[in-house]
Amino acid sequence: MTIQVKALNRKRKVVKKHTKFERWQASNFMRVPSSWRKPKGIDGRQRRRFKGLPKMPKIGYGTEKTMRHVLPNGFIKFTVHNAKDVDLLLMLNRKFCAEIAHSVGTTKRKAIVRRCAELNVRVTNGAAKLEEEEDE
């Protein structure tokens, strides 16, 4: 039985806004998709940031640089395609965790999981695709 590695970074990520920024008048017209576009009209109320209107994206909503791309468990994902890629994480096993690429088959996947256990590297999706498929 191997001991799970704990991440060095255990700081909590501050989420400044939970709702998505929606395009102006996207709720009024079906022809206007909800994906964000900056309002550019000369008289636009939202562009002029009037009170009571939806918020627009600003630099202040961004994530802190040290917390960008960090998973809730404190690690940063590193995509692995073969067992040799795991060796790159040997000295960084407390900062990065391995995520096996979706295109990797069962045989290589088992080898990657075995190599991660040897090097004490955490795998996010180690149990995926390991079950034998039954032919009916």
Side-chain angles (χ1 to χ4, degrees):
M1 185 175 156
T2 59
I3 300 167
Q4 282 288 333
V5 187
K6 286 192 176 168
L8 277 174
N9 186 9
R10 292 302 294 163
K11 217 161 82 173
R12 285 206 160 242
K13 188 184 261 190
V14 178
V15 181
K16 297 171 187 170
K17 190 175 189 314
H18 292 283
T19 57
K20 284 196 157 240
F21 293 104
E22 198 174 63
R23 190 171 175 178
W24 178 240
Q25 292 191 330
S27 57
N28 298 0
F29 304 103
M30 285 185 72
R31 64 179 178 265
V32 181
S34 63
S35 58
W36 173 253
R37 297 290 184 276
K38 186 171 170 59
K40 293 188 172 76
I42 55 168
D43 295 328
R45 294 181 301 156
Q46 188 182 17
R47 182 190 60 77
R48 293 192 286 165
R49 299 199 175 107
F50 279 17
K51 194 175 9 174
L53 294 169
K55 299 283 185 202
M56 294 203 305
K58 290 189 282 191
I59 196 70
Y61 289 119
T63 309
E64 189 183 335
K65 199 173 192 180
T66 57
M67 294 304 294
R68 225 168 276 160
H69 309 296
V70 175
L71 300 173
N73 62 7
F75 288 98
I76 299 170
K77 268 193 234 176
F78 180 78
T79 309
V80 172
H81 294 275
N82 53 46
K84 200 175 178 184
D85 288 351
V86 180
D87 297 342
L88 297 169
L89 300 176
L90 176 62
M91 299 299 291
L92 299 166
N93 65 343
R94 296 200 56 205
K95 188 173 184 180
F96 291 90
C97 65
E99 180 172 80
I100 304 169
H102 79 281
S103 58
V104 176
T106 310
T107 314
K108 270 192 185 175
R109 201 171 274 268
K110 285 178 183 172
I112 291 169
V113 171
R114 201 176 309 114
R115 186 68 180 143
C116 285
E118 290 170 11
L119 298 179
N120 207 8
V121 174
R122 186 177 281 200
V123 186
T124 56
N125 58 347
K129 285 191 188 177
L130 289 181
E131 296 169 2
E132 291 292 323
E133 292 181 11
E134 295 176 19
D135 295 326
E136 291 182 29

